Amino acid sequence: MKYHKIIICNTQTPNMETLSLWSLVMDGGYIMIPLALMLIVSIYIFVERCLAISRASKEDSSFMQRIRDYVHEGDLESARQLCKKTDTPYARLILKGVTRIGRPMQDVLVAIENTGNIEVAKLGKGFTWLSTTAAGAPMLGFLGTVTGMIEAFYALAMAGTGANIIVLSSGIYQALVTTVAGLIVGIVALFAYNFLVSRVNRVMTGMETKTMEFMDLLNEPAA
């Protein structure tokens, strides 16, 4: 009588613990604190600058025509009031130019350019933080990884004969978390910086266009 051996295979895989974002953050160590602060500040600067630049980029299609009419009529007070009411970077440039009417053209242009530099500097407030974060956050993450690797190998050495792969792998896993966090923060800051710079460049182009229109109208004969 023959007996057939029956082999029962267990196709169920063991339950594996899933990683959560919070657990990764907590496992990253103290380096995660400055990285988190850098991320929060970068997001705040991005949102605040987006709103400020959006307000600065608003244009009144009839603004320059009204300025031209006031200047040709010699009603400089109305031109100044219009600039103050509009309250945009290009309006403040034109306001500076209106207050310099009667002086040599070069003096008018220099006054407008100086005002333009101030307006651009205002729009670029916080950009230094974003560029520094974009470069520094990955380096800070690498620093956390290096220190974590040192701690992992130190723990392996202290384990002595009881050392195993679990002691080393757990330390390496925790160390690599800071690298990922640093890269994420750096990438976010880099994209935010480049986006804001492109928006400011568009505002600068509009300011330059309004400046040239104003300088041209000063040379136009009154109707």
Side-chain angles (χ1 to χ4, degrees):
M1 187 173 180
K2 296 182 179 179
Y3 296 92
H4 297 279
K5 184 181 293 185
I6 300 175
I7 301 176
I8 301 176
C9 297
N10 185 8
T11 58
Q12 295 180 347
T13 57
N15 293 331
M16 298 186 66
E17 182 181 356
T18 58
L19 291 175
S20 66
L21 179 61
W22 179 251
S23 64
L24 285 174
V25 172
M26 297 304 295
D27 289 339
Y30 62 90
I31 291 292
M32 298 297 287
I33 296 176
L35 288 175
L37 292 175
M38 294 169 76
L39 178 61
I40 293 172
V41 175
S42 296
I43 293 175
Y44 169 78
I45 291 175
F46 176 72
V47 174
E48 190 272 336
R49 285 294 88 194
C50 277
L51 295 176
I53 295 171
S54 179
R55 291 192 298 268
S57 60
K58 291 182 179 179
E59 293 190 19
D60 183 356
S61 57
S62 64
F63 176 79
M64 287 306 300
Q65 183 58 48
R66 295 167 67 185
I67 289 293
R68 177 178 286 103
D69 294 339
Y70 288 141
V71 171
H72 287 172
E73 294 170 2
D75 190 359
L76 300 183
E77 180 60 29
S78 295
R80 285 192 289 267
Q81 292 302 321
L82 176 60
C83 292
K84 293 177 181 179
K85 181 180 178 181
T86 305
D87 193 27
T88 57
Y90 69 82
R92 287 188 281 273
L93 262 65
I94 302 304
L95 175 61
K96 180 62 68 174
V98 169
T99 59
R100 294 295 189 274
I101 290 179
R103 298 187 181 184
M105 295 291 289
Q106 184 62 30
D107 292 348
V108 177
L109 182 59
V110 169
I112 293 177
E113 289 178 347
N114 291 337
T115 303
N117 293 333
I118 295 174
E119 293 296 330
V120 171
K122 290 179 180 178
L123 292 175
K125 183 177 65 175
F127 284 16
T128 302
W129 173 272
L130 291 177
S131 61
T132 302
T133 300
M139 300 301 294
L140 194 60
F142 292 148
L143 175 62
T145 296
V146 171
T147 57
M149 294 289 287
I150 293 174
E151 293 176 358
F153 281 103
Y154 178 78
L156 184 66
M158 291 297 99
T161 56
N164 53 55
I165 190 62
I166 297 177
V167 175
L168 182 61
S169 62
S170 61
I172 295 176
Y173 143 72
Q174 293 179 6
L176 291 177
V177 170
T178 59
T179 296
V180 175
L183 289 174
I184 291 174
V185 175
I187 290 171
V188 169
L190 179 62
F191 276 85
Y193 174 79
N194 287 331
F195 176 79
L196 292 176
V197 167
S198 66
R199 293 288 303 277
V200 171
N201 287 338
R202 271 186 276 177
V203 175
M204 289 174 58
T205 301
M207 292 165 58
E208 291 173 355
T209 301
K210 293 293 189 297
T211 299
M212 296 308 299
E213 290 182 19
F214 179 76
M215 297 303 296
D216 288 340
L217 77 86
L218 293 183
N219 291 321
E220 293 176 359

